[in-house]
Amino acid sequence: QVHLVESGGGLVQAGGSLRLSCAASGSIFRYNVGAWYRQRPGNQREQVAVITNGGMTDYLDSVKGRFTISRDNSNNTVYLRMNSLEPEDTAVYYCNARITSWRGEPLDTWGQGTLVAVSS
């Protein structure tokens, strides 16, 4: 199986920055897709950013130009750099990993979530 550990959340003032990290460990043959989702209070979970094994990225419209997703394949870690944070970015952020295990199984794994709170 695969285990994800997230870090980097916290409280920040509007206009500030944070970087989230998601480290994957376990039976990882190929880390296919990494993504960050968030769930804002009273809203459904939404995909914020995604990055493929080849480095292609896509972003939620409201974070384009402010957030950057990246990955370090050498240690199976995906990052989310968040700049110019707004109170509307306040949410629990979840890491998602779509991985092929050494047994050839497709795995879709979630992190435990990390809270990002942006004060005005």
Side-chain angles (χ1 to χ4, degrees):
Q1 296 304 311
V2 172
H3 185 55
L4 302 181
V5 176
E6 301 170 11
S7 60
L11 175 64
V12 64
Q13 289 188 330
S17 298
L18 286 173
R19 189 181 80 157
L20 306 182
S21 300
C22 175
S25 61
S27 177
I28 302 170
F29 172 70
R30 186 174 59 246
Y31 195 144
N32 299 310
V33 177
W36 287 94
Y37 287 72
R38 70 184 181 188
Q39 187 161 15
R40 295 182 290 170
N43 288 271
Q44 293 185 336
R45 191 175 296 189
E46 60 185 352
Q47 183 175 287
V48 175
V50 61
I51 186 166
T52 68
N53 188 41
M56 294 182 63
T57 60
D58 196 17
Y59 297 91
L60 184 69
D61 283 347
S62 62
V63 308
K64 285 180 180 177
R66 300 188 297 121
F67 290 11
T68 302
I69 190 170
S70 60
R71 60 191 293 164
D72 183 344
N73 291 329
S74 66
N75 61 14
N76 292 318
T77 300
V78 174
Y79 304 95
L80 184 68
R81 177 69 180 182
M82 304 184 293
N83 296 329
S84 302
L85 282 161
E86 303 168 353
E88 292 74 23
D89 295 317
T90 295
V92 177
Y93 284 73
Y94 297 91
C95 175
N96 173 256
R98 285 158 244 175
I99 287 169
T100 301
S101 74
W102 283 103
R103 296 174 61 178
E105 299 167 312
L107 302 175
D108 190 332
T109 304
W110 291 87
Q112 78 281 4
T114 185
L115 177 63
V116 171
V118 184
S119 63
S120 57

